[in-house]
Amino acid sequence: MKIAIDAMGGDFAPLEIVKGVEQARDRYQEIEFQLYGTAEQVKPLVKDWTRINLIPTTEVIEMGEEPVKAMRRKKDSSMVRAANAVKAGEADALFSAGNTGALLSSAIFLVGRIKGVDRPALATALPSFEGPHDQFVFMDLGANAENKPVHLYQYGILGSFYASHVLNIENARVRLLNNGAEEDKGDEVHKVAHQLMKNSHAFNFVGNIEARELLAGTADVVVADGFSGNAALKATEGTALTMLKQIKSAIMASGLSGKIGGALLKPAFKTIQKKLDYNEAGGAVILGVNAPVVKTHGSAKANAVANTMGQIKIMIENNLVGDIQTFVADHADDLKAAKQALQNDENV
Amino acid sequence: MKIAIDAMGGDFAPLEIVKGVEQARDRYQEIEFQLYGTAEQVKPLVKDWTRINLIPTTEVIEMGEEPVKAMRRKKDSSMVRAANAVKAGEADALFSAGNTGALLSSAIFLVGRIKGVDRPALATALPSFEGPHDQFVFMDLGANAENKPVHLYQYGILGSFYASHVLNIENARVRLLNNGAEEDKGDEVHKVAHQLMKNSHAFNFVGNIEARELLAGTADVVVADGFSGNAALKATEGTALTMLKQIKSAIMASGLSGKIGGALLKPAFKTIQKKLDYNEAGGAVILGVNAPVVKTHGSAKANAVANTMGQIKIMIENNLVGDIQTFVADHADDLKAAKQALQNDENV
């Protein structure tokens, strides 16, 4: 299998990307890596060229650039060239740690939407601290600022496939992020989405979930609109970070006994921090496009990059995208019927 | 000053409500308490009737009831009678630990919207862990499932008054919860709201905030639409709770040294937990109605109830509602102009 790599995207690119790719090359014998990047910068960093190819590019999409414009204008950028390689079938998946918006645009406009999927979404696996599984799928994390009910319904399908094919969770319990447990809660979009999901046989919908329960393990797939999904994800990250910082500073301020306590508890804290540090385990995936497209955190170091290659390998091996394509094609009539049943509702 | 109290609302009503009122009576000499509740249940609980009056009622609005219906039908319920007392000028503020939706309806339809405020909102003070102040105002927490830009703009005014009059923060830094820092981020509602807020002289708008920064002290008032505000608040609560639980169980599982560490760190953890336990400090306030209406957590015990009375006392003493009424009346033209400037935009 071949992975097209945007070697120039991310805070520590190209150094940490190249280091991560070499780590991944040593771990995963079956992967060939195509590095898209500025030759003068990338070439000196590669220590061993086994299963690594450099495809020289001349442009770089920066973090602050307007996504769609950047993608359209910088045709010889590392990201666009890598995306076009996937489009042309020269690679099986696309990796970048760069501009998220530009990667979304490249995924949707170059790699291409899966026929029948209206709006691709950004998904990630977050830790579950209780319940039967260690992780759950959370989406949309903000690929879309606005969603219609039919998008949320489709996320139930995409998320369930990610749960089964990557997290090894069969018959995933899908919940809709809403401001209450009852089915009549929420704005019009979420009320209609709830009904669509409830009446669907395409996945195992088990009702609404409130953000308070996100980490508690009561769902394997949590579907959210991009705006509130983004808010809930960031509130979760921010709170976890603030608490760890507060605990550390409380330990530092609490005199000798507190410092001894802190030292004794270090292993326990490490366990929790590791579980919370889901960015280290892999990237966020753009689901609903014709190949695995994965975005690692901009500040990802080599180890996170290498772990993400392992995650991409699983997606390719387990035919995640192919199985979604087949399912959506086979159920095109159901999807249309769901839309039609609600055609009088302007929100659908 | 007089506070009308729904003695029957909440998980531990009427016992903990009455106990809390007696604590508050002993703390605050200037408050008279009107207890609305079922006489046979409330009467035996009151130990000292100094500055406490019982107004017997025959009905109770339960937690699960449909809010507007319950308010309309149960005219002799403790909540509706207490709200009507405020409406009639017999009391200065309304307190309840009961059904949030019914209290919102009672606040809006009985106590009444302030003229010029389109949508009252639910606000609370949350802890700031960094920055110049210990707390910030967060609203709307879910009074509204959908908001228009003009509502968010008005929340900037309401929240600033709460910051100055209750939290003692002058010239409060107002931010808009959005999915990015740049002004063109978000859906149409948030883009338009940003422009309205930016162009306003009614308060000190300093830009967007992402949910990751909520607790970090970069804002004194965070304005959110009710749906994503609710999601961000609950994600914050859930994450904090999960982390404290995880730390406790990690300590229990980590052998003798971990347990000793945990014991040594107890004071440090207590400090953090206390700061996070903002429900203990007071209730959520319905801003934009003609009197202070405060909702304490359903599971509030006597101490939280008494603290909430202290919070209500400050609102009355500092003339929070009167000053909002005056400001909104004085700026009616500005508000209309803001609406008109955007009248071509159907979202306003």
Side-chain angles (χ1 to χ4, degrees):
Chain A
M1 60 183 77
K2 291 175 190 161
I3 304 179
I5 310 223
D6 166 15
M8 306 308 287
D11 304 344
F12 306 113
L15 177 64
E16 295 291 331
I17 309 296
V18 171
K19 277 168 74 176
V21 163
E22 291 210 79
Q23 279 184 25
R25 186 261 328 277
D26 297 340
R27 281 191 214 165
Y28 312 112
Q29 303 301 321
E30 54 277 72
I31 310 180
E32 286 176 38
F33 300 90
Q34 301 172 352
L35 290 182
Y36 290 82
T38 311
E40 310 85 81
Q41 288 186 58
V42 175
K43 225 172 181 174
L45 300 173
V46 180
K47 291 188 182 133
D48 168 2
W49 288 93
T50 311
R51 283 182 283 114
I52 295 180
N53 281 309
L54 173 65
I55 297 97
T57 53
T58 58
E59 293 175 298
V60 175
I61 295 178
E62 306 292 343
M63 283 307 208
E65 285 191 77
E66 207 282 300
V68 180
K69 262 188 213 159
M71 177 202 75
R72 294 234 161 102
R73 284 185 193 165
K74 293 191 166 171
K75 296 207 190 301
D76 200 41
S77 62
S78 52
M79 188 189 282
V80 168
R81 289 283 304 276
N84 276 324
V86 175
K87 184 187 182 182
E90 295 159 15
D92 304 301
L94 171 58
F95 166 94
S96 178
N99 184 317
T100 307
L103 187 64
L104 272 163
S105 303
S106 302
I108 294 169
F109 298 114
L110 304 177
V111 177
R113 271 192 305 117
I114 291 174
K115 206 175 170 251
V117 174
D118 289 305
R119 289 278 194 106
L122 206 53
T124 198
L126 289 180
S128 272
F129 286 95
E130 290 161 80
H133 305 290
D134 278 354
Q135 293 179 296
F136 71 99
V137 185
F138 190 33
M139 67 191 289
D140 174 28
L141 307 177
N144 303 285
E146 269 168 295
N147 281 116
K148 293 187 174 182
V150 75
H151 307 155
L152 300 179
Y153 164 70
Q154 292 174 356
Y155 296 167
I157 297 172
L158 299 176
S160 295
F161 271 94
Y162 194 80
S164 65
H165 284 56
V166 182
L167 305 186
N168 221 354
I169 301 173
E170 294 302 328
N171 198 31
R173 297 162 302 159
V174 178
R175 287 186 188 270
L176 175 66
L177 187 71
N178 205 336
N179 61 6
E182 303 81 2
E183 63 180 84
D184 61 343
K185 286 283 177 172
D187 58 7
E188 207 50 34
V189 170
H190 290 83
K191 281 181 200 169
V192 176
H194 185 107
Q195 293 308 316
L196 275 175
M197 297 173 92
K198 191 178 131 185
N199 296 325
S200 169
H201 300 287
F203 50 88
N204 175 24
F205 183 61
V206 295
N208 290 338
I209 186 170
E210 293 194 76
R212 192 180 283 116
E213 274 182 77
L214 267 182
L215 305 180
T218 64
D220 304 312
V221 176
V222 175
V223 168
D225 68 279
F227 196 91
S228 54
N230 188 277
L233 175 73
K234 287 176 181 165
T236 299
E237 289 179 342
T239 305
L241 200 70
T242 298
M243 284 193 65
L244 288 172
K245 258 170 129 178
Q246 286 299 310
I247 290 167
K248 272 178 199 163
S249 74
I251 289 171
M252 295 316 289
S254 65
L256 186 62
S257 68
K259 274 176 204 137
I260 296 171
L264 292 171
L265 278 182
K266 221 169 189 176
F269 283 137
K270 275 231 164 120
T271 310
I272 297 167
Q273 199 154 6
K274 204 180 159 194
K275 201 159 178 185
L276 279 167
D277 206 357
Y278 65 93
N279 286 319
E280 193 62 22
V285 183
I286 301 169
L287 291 178
V289 294
N290 287 317
V293 178
V294 181
K295 165 70 174 70
T296 306
H297 213 267
S299 58
K301 297 283 191 108
N303 188 50
V305 172
N307 292 341
T308 305
M309 299 303 155
Q311 179 196 14
I312 294 173
K313 175 177 163 284
I314 294 173
M315 289 185 238
I316 298 172
E317 277 175 354
N318 294 344
N319 195 30
L320 171 67
V321 169
D323 285 353
I324 292 175
Q325 287 166 329
T326 306
F327 184 91
V328 173
D330 287 353
H331 291 74
D333 290 345
D334 299 8
L335 290 173
K336 264 189 213 153
K339 276 197 206 181
Q340 251 154 15
L342 287 142
Q343 69 182 355
N344 293 326
D345 191 313
E346 60 183 11
N347 289 306
V348 177
Chain B
M1 60 184 75
K2 290 174 190 162
I3 304 179
I5 306 215
D6 166 15
M8 307 306 288
D11 304 343
F12 305 114
L15 177 63
E16 294 292 329
I17 309 297
V18 171
K19 276 168 73 177
V21 163
E22 291 209 79
Q23 279 184 26
R25 186 261 328 277
D26 297 341
R27 282 191 213 164
Y28 311 112
Q29 303 301 320
E30 53 277 73
I31 310 180
E32 285 176 39
F33 299 91
Q34 301 173 351
L35 290 182
Y36 290 82
T38 311
E40 310 85 79
Q41 287 185 59
V42 176
K43 225 171 180 174
L45 299 173
V46 180
K47 291 189 181 132
D48 169 2
W49 289 93
T50 310
R51 284 182 284 114
I52 295 179
N53 281 310
L54 173 65
I55 297 96
T57 52
T58 57
E59 292 176 298
V60 175
I61 294 178
E62 306 292 345
M63 284 308 209
E65 285 191 77
E66 207 283 299
V68 180
K69 262 190 213 159
M71 177 202 74
R72 293 233 161 103
R73 284 185 191 164
K74 292 191 165 170
K75 295 205 189 302
D76 200 41
S77 62
S78 52
M79 187 189 284
V80 169
R81 288 284 303 277
N84 276 323
V86 175
K87 183 188 184 183
E90 297 159 14
D92 304 301
L94 170 59
F95 166 93
S96 178
N99 184 316
T100 307
L103 187 64
L104 272 164
S105 303
S106 302
I108 294 168
F109 297 114
L110 305 178
V111 177
R113 270 192 305 118
I114 292 174
K115 207 175 169 256
V117 174
D118 289 303
R119 288 279 193 105
L122 207 52
T124 199
L126 289 181
S128 272
F129 285 95
E130 290 162 77
H133 304 291
D134 278 352
Q135 294 179 294
F136 71 99
V137 185
F138 189 34
M139 66 191 290
D140 174 27
L141 308 177
N144 304 285
E146 268 167 296
N147 281 116
K148 293 186 174 183
V150 74
H151 306 153
L152 300 179
Y153 165 69
Q154 292 174 356
Y155 296 166
I157 298 172
L158 299 175
S160 295
F161 271 95
Y162 194 80
S164 65
H165 283 56
V166 181
L167 304 185
N168 223 353
I169 301 173
E170 295 302 330
N171 198 31
R173 298 163 300 161
V174 178
R175 286 186 189 270
L176 175 66
L177 186 71
N178 205 337
N179 59 6
E182 303 82 2
E183 63 181 84
D184 60 343
K185 285 282 177 170
D187 57 6
E188 207 49 36
V189 170
H190 291 82
K191 281 182 201 168
V192 176
H194 185 107
Q195 293 307 316
L196 275 175
M197 296 172 92
K198 192 178 131 186
N199 295 324
S200 170
H201 300 287
F203 51 87
N204 174 25
F205 183 61
V206 294
N208 290 339
I209 185 171
E210 292 195 76
R212 192 181 283 118
E213 274 183 78
L214 267 183
L215 304 181
T218 64
D220 304 311
V221 175
V222 174
V223 168
D225 69 278
F227 196 89
S228 53
N230 188 276
L233 174 72
K234 286 176 182 165
T236 299
E237 290 180 342
T239 306
L241 199 71
T242 298
M243 284 195 63
L244 288 172
K245 260 169 125 178
Q246 286 299 311
I247 290 168
K248 273 180 199 165
S249 75
I251 290 172
M252 295 316 289
S254 65
L256 187 61
S257 69
K259 275 176 201 136
I260 295 171
L264 293 171
L265 278 181
K266 222 171 190 173
F269 283 136
K270 273 232 163 119
T271 310
I272 297 167
Q273 197 153 10
K274 204 181 159 190
K275 202 157 177 189
L276 279 167
D277 205 358
Y278 65 93
N279 286 318
E280 192 62 21
V285 182
I286 301 169
L287 291 178
V289 295
N290 287 314
V293 177
V294 181
K295 166 68 174 69
T296 306
H297 213 266
S299 57
K301 297 282 192 110
N303 188 51
V305 172
N307 292 342
T308 306
M309 299 303 155
Q311 180 196 15
I312 295 174
K313 175 177 162 285
I314 293 173
M315 289 186 235
I316 298 173
E317 276 174 356
N318 293 345
N319 197 30
L320 171 66
V321 170
D323 285 353
I324 292 175
Q325 287 167 330
T326 306
F327 183 91
V328 173
D330 287 353
H331 291 74
D333 290 345
D334 297 8
L335 290 172
K336 262 188 214 153
K339 275 197 209 181
Q340 252 152 15
L342 287 142
Q343 70 184 352
N344 295 326
D345 191 314
E346 59 183 11
N347 290 308
V348 178

